[in-house]
Amino acid sequence: MARIILVTGGCRSGKSRFALEKANSLVGEKFFLATCPRIDSEMDARIQRHRQERIDWNTIEEELELSSLFDSIPSGSIVLLDCLSLWINNLMFDANNKNLNLTQEQINMTCLNLGKHILDSKAKNVFIVTNEVGMGLVPENKEGRLYRDLLGICNQTFASIANEVYFLVSGIPIRIKTSTDNNL
C-alpha cells in the first residue's frame, strides 16, 4: 500500500519545492505527474523551468485521467503529483466544454477513486501537492465559488487518506497530520 503525503498551503508558499526536496531524499525511481495545461508561452516557460529542476525524474503530463496512471507505476517508486488544484480546474473546464455541471458528490467520488488507485498502486511514496483556497475572500462569481468548494472537497478527501499532511506558510512547513493508517 502506497504511503501518501499531502502538501497544502497558499499560492507560492513553497509547497512544490518542499514536496520535491522530501521526494528527492528518498530512494526509488521517480515519477512527476504534472496536471498543468499548456495554455501560453509564459506557462510553457514555467513548465520548462520546472522540468530542469527534475532532471532525474520521469515526467508524465496528464490534465484529466490520473487514476489509470497509477496502475502502471513500478514497484517501489516515488511519485509527486503536482497538483490537485489544477486537476480540479481541468475537470471543471472539461465539464464546462461538454455542457455538464460537476457536483460535490461527483468530485468526492472521483477523488475517492483516484485515492484508491494511489493506495493500490505499487508506488512506495506518493506526494500530492494542492492549494488551500478556502482561507481568503469568498469568490464574487458562481464559478469561483464552485471551484473553491470542489477543491475543498478534494483536499478533505486526500487529507483523510494521507499518512502525513503538511501545511506551508511562507516557505515554512507545518506538519498537521501524522498517521500510519490510510482511512479509505
Side-chain angles (χ1 to χ4, degrees):
M1 181 174 283
R3 181 171 172 71
I4 297 175
I5 302 94
L6 181 68
V7 180
T8 188
C11 189
R12 305 301 293 170
S13 63
K15 302 176 302 293
S16 295
R17 184 183 68 246
F18 173 78
L20 189 61
E21 287 172 2
K22 295 275 283 182
N24 274 329
S25 72
L26 302 174
V27 176
E29 188 175 4
K30 298 190 171 53
F31 291 87
F32 188 92
L33 306 183
T35 61
C36 184
R38 294 177 176 270
I39 55 174
D40 57 29
S41 60
E42 186 270 336
M43 192 57 78
D44 286 344
R46 270 183 194 242
I47 290 169
Q48 188 58 37
R49 217 174 29 250
H50 289 302
R51 277 181 171 250
Q52 291 171 355
E53 295 171 356
R54 304 182 310 266
I55 293 171
D56 297 328
W57 287 71
N58 300 295
T59 298
I60 302 169
E61 295 179 2
E62 177 54 53
E63 298 173 22
L64 298 169
E65 302 297 331
L66 300 179
S67 293
S68 61
L69 296 177
F70 284 92
D71 297 340
S72 60
I73 294 292
S75 183
S77 297
I78 311 302
V79 178
L80 199 165
L81 168 55
D82 196 353
C83 71
L84 293 178
S85 313
L86 283 171
W87 180 56
I88 294 297
N89 173 77
N90 299 341
L91 291 173
M92 285 181 66
F93 185 78
D94 185 61
N96 189 46
N97 283 342
K98 296 174 180 174
N99 290 320
L100 301 172
N101 292 315
L102 284 180
T103 66
Q104 291 183 16
E105 294 77 24
Q106 289 169 320
I107 286 297
N108 186 48
M109 293 307 297
T110 301
C111 290
L112 286 171
N113 182 51
L114 175 56
K116 183 169 178 9
H117 278 267
I118 292 171
L119 291 172
D120 291 345
S121 75
K122 295 177 182 176
K124 184 175 183 181
N125 291 284
V126 177
F127 292 83
I128 301 173
V129 176
T130 190
N131 284 311
E132 177 52 60
V133 297
M135 297 176 73
L137 298 173
V138 174
E140 68 179 29
N141 60 58
K142 180 181 175 184
E143 286 294 310
R145 290 187 298 274
L146 177 63
Y147 173 75
R148 178 206 53 195
D149 294 347
L150 296 180
L151 183 56
I153 294 295
C154 182
N155 289 347
Q156 288 181 50
T157 300
F158 281 96
S160 74
I161 64 172
N163 299 95
E164 295 179 38
V165 178
Y166 291 89
F167 182 72
L168 269 84
V169 178
S170 301
I172 300 169
I174 303 164
R175 187 183 314 198
I176 58 175
K177 179 183 177 185
T178 302
S179 171
T180 55
D181 298 326
N182 302 93
N183 301 316
L184 185 62

